[in-house]
Amino acid sequence: MLPRYKRILLKLSGESLSNSNSGFDPLDPKIIEQYAKDIKQVTEMGVQVAIVIGGGNIYRGMNEAESGIERAQGDYMGMLATVINGMALQSGLEKAGVNTRLQSAIKMEQIAEPYIRRRAIRHLEKGRVVIFGAGTGNPYFTTDTAAALRANELEVDVILKGISVDGIYTADPRKVPHARKLNK
């Protein structure tokens, strides 16, 4: 059977990598292993997979007044958390036998390739899973924004979002009690 999509972008929240039942355990090896198995199945169908990963399991933006950390600085801290998650996912995928590349929007060449659009496309064409860390590389933007940006740049067929809520809402249902779930 032919796959429905040729190239996808998977947006994973950082929180989806942790086991909320185990206290502060930001990276659950069993969850990473399951993601790796699932992603491997998709690549074996011939689908090119790009991933933008969040960092909320390690660092979530804080209120500047409470923390004393200015917004831009906090956003950069969050970007570093996404790279840590990208490294963990990369490790899980490679353990499962999936070729990967980790690219970062912030230069850290000992850890990840710099994000270069054409290089990312070439990796996808060669069957490698490309993981994007550090969001857009700019403060004041979320990893959801990075996912939309990378999806456009890579001309993906679909963005699939794996998060810790059960659908798309008018606002974050964990923060806004009256948020409405949107249906088709």
Side-chain angles (χ1 to χ4, degrees):
M1 182 169 113
L2 291 174
R4 182 173 179 182
Y5 303 112
K6 179 182 176 195
R7 182 178 295 160
I8 67 170
L9 186 132
L10 178 60
K11 170 35 174 98
L12 297 176
S13 73
E15 293 165 328
S16 73
L17 298 177
S18 67
N19 181 347
S20 59
N21 298 327
S22 67
F24 184 74
D25 185 9
L27 295 167
D28 185 324
K30 287 184 170 72
I31 293 172
I32 293 169
E33 181 180 0
Q34 186 60 52
Y35 273 152
K37 287 178 183 177
D38 293 343
I39 293 165
K40 181 177 183 174
Q41 274 188 317
V42 172
T43 62
E44 288 174 342
M45 294 170 39
V47 178
Q48 298 172 7
V49 179
I51 302 169
V52 170
I53 194 150
N57 57 320
I58 297 171
Y59 181 84
R60 176 140 321 268
M62 302 169 137
N63 182 325
E64 185 177 338
E66 293 174 13
S67 69
I69 298 171
E70 71 165 300
R71 169 71 190 270
Q73 188 78 351
D75 285 355
Y76 282 116
M77 293 167 67
M79 288 179 226
L80 294 175
T82 70
V83 175
I84 292 169
N85 284 339
M87 293 171 69
L89 186 58
Q90 180 181 39
S91 181
L93 285 163
E94 289 181 349
K95 185 177 177 185
V98 178
N99 290 321
T100 66
R101 291 296 185 270
L102 175 61
Q103 292 193 342
S104 172
I106 298 173
K107 286 187 180 183
M108 48 182 75
E109 291 159 355
Q110 292 86 342
I111 297 169
E113 294 179 1
Y115 171 68
I116 299 171
R117 179 184 163 272
R118 287 183 178 185
R119 184 180 288 174
I121 290 170
R122 186 71 181 126
H123 288 318
L124 291 169
E125 290 171 346
K126 288 185 173 188
R128 298 176 184 130
V129 171
V130 181
I131 305 165
F132 300 107
T136 66
N138 301 292
Y140 305 103
F141 292 95
T142 67
T143 52
D144 285 354
T145 303
L149 179 64
R150 298 293 178 248
N152 275 320
E153 291 173 321
L154 302 175
E155 299 177 356
V156 303
D157 299 315
V158 67
I159 300 173
L160 304 171
K161 190 172 177 185
I163 58 172
S164 58
V165 295
D166 65 344
I168 299 173
Y169 288 79
T170 56
D172 186 340
R174 297 167 296 187
K175 296 178 183 175
V176 180
H178 305 309
R180 277 186 313 109
K181 184 175 180 180
L182 302 175
N183 296 314
K184 288 184 180 182

